Amino acid sequence: GNSVTQMEGPVTLSEEAFLTINCTYTATGYPSLFWYVQYPGEGLQLLLKATKADDKGSNKGFEATYRKETTSFHLEKGSVQVSDSAVYFCALSGQGGSEKLVFGKGTKLTVNP
Amino acid sequence: NAGVTQTPKFRVLKTGQSMTLLCAQDMNHEYMYWYRQDPGMGLRLIHYSVGEGTTAKGEVPDGYNVSRLKKQNFLLGLESAAPSQTSVYFCASYPGPTTKRDTQYFGPGTRLTVL
């Protein structure tokens, strides 16, 4: 079945550091890939997504590229801020849309001033 | 729009007690979901619904029941709570695959503790 593996946390960085959170997936067909973010005390919200190979999703300075050859969707940001402290989830869905999402275990990011 | 709301926000139960969690959405979405979030486990799907009057099992359905009598509401029931059901529960809704906003929308969560 479909599955998502993302790097174990927690990750602690200083402000303005470079961020990478690794995500790899196993899926049949051509899934869509997502990054969701969960700020403290809140529900998840979509950060970015990519629906086909070589697509790059981007939002709020975060980027991730759909790499079919390496089955990866790594999240990157060039300069993190304290306000980026949150839990980040990689997820995939089957072909067609977001009806059934499979989530990774989440990576907690803490950014210190 | 309020989006997706969940009631209650917090609850403490004793083993064997029952309760119902309410999820409401005002976006006219067809699909609704219940997830549980446990440390180190990510989100796991409990039950979901693809329309009013329909329900289906997800990855971890045992010990839970659901109902979708109205399109805007999705109820999650625990008939006899167990400590293993201590978790944070999230509801989500989704408009459908043919819409532009192809994402699930999440509620703020309900933190449930079973003693």
Side-chain angles (χ1 to χ4, degrees):
Chain A
N2 296 345
S3 66
V4 173
T5 302
Q6 63 182 103
M7 65 185 281
E8 299 276 336
V11 174
T12 303
L13 295 173
S14 298
E15 210 165 20
E16 300 184 2
F18 183 84
L19 169 71
T20 299
I21 301 178
N22 291 338
C23 172
T24 57
Y25 68 90
T26 302
T28 54
Y30 302 95
S32 293
L33 299 173
F34 306 83
W35 277 101
Y36 281 82
V37 58
Q38 183 182 28
Y39 297 106
E42 299 183 9
L44 279 71
Q45 54 187 277
L46 180 67
L47 181 59
L48 54 84
K49 70 174 187 178
T51 57
K52 60 182 187 296
D54 300 324
D55 265 4
K56 178 186 281 189
S58 61
N59 187 25
K60 299 182 181 179
F62 291 89
E63 294 183 340
T65 302
Y66 189 144
R67 301 283 189 204
K68 194 169 190 305
E69 63 276 13
T70 54
T71 62
S72 64
F73 193 56
H74 304 322
L75 182 69
E76 296 182 337
K77 186 174 185 182
S79 177
V80 294
Q81 306 300 312
V82 172
S83 57
D84 293 327
S85 298
V87 181
Y88 293 82
F89 292 91
C90 186
L92 67 80
S93 72
Q95 289 175 269
S98 298
E99 308 93 281
K100 296 285 285 294
L101 290 174
V102 175
F103 288 90
K105 294 183 178 182
T107 302
K108 183 176 182 180
L109 170 67
T110 301
V111 180
N112 295 318
Chain B
N1 285 354
V4 180
T5 58
Q6 295 183 229
T7 309
K9 288 186 168 41
F10 303 93
R11 185 72 186 268
V12 178
L13 290 179
K14 294 181 180 178
T15 297
Q17 287 185 317
S18 64
M19 76 163 294
T20 300
L21 281 65
L22 170 64
C23 176
Q25 53 97 1
D26 60 1
M27 298 175 283
N28 201 36
H29 287 174
E30 290 294 333
Y31 296 67
M32 295 186 75
Y33 308 82
W34 277 107
Y35 295 91
R36 58 178 290 172
Q37 183 182 30
D38 303 294
M41 299 292 289
L43 270 75
R44 293 181 292 169
L45 182 63
I46 304 171
H47 286 281
Y48 65 101
S49 167
V50 300
E52 182 180 316
T54 74
T55 63
K57 293 180 180 180
E59 181 186 354
V60 289
D62 294 341
Y64 305 94
N65 56 75
V66 288
S67 64
R68 183 108 182 261
L69 299 180
K70 294 183 179 180
K71 186 176 184 178
Q72 64 266 35
N73 295 336
F74 195 31
L75 279 61
L76 178 71
L78 287 72
E79 288 189 351
S80 179
S84 60
Q85 294 177 304
T86 294
S87 188
V88 181
Y89 291 86
F90 287 100
C91 177
S93 70
Y94 172 59
T98 58
T99 60
K100 268 193 159 183
R101 287 289 295 166
D102 185 30
T103 181
Q104 293 186 15
Y105 292 78
F106 285 81
T110 295
R111 184 174 293 276
L112 174 66
T113 301
V114 183
L115 302 176

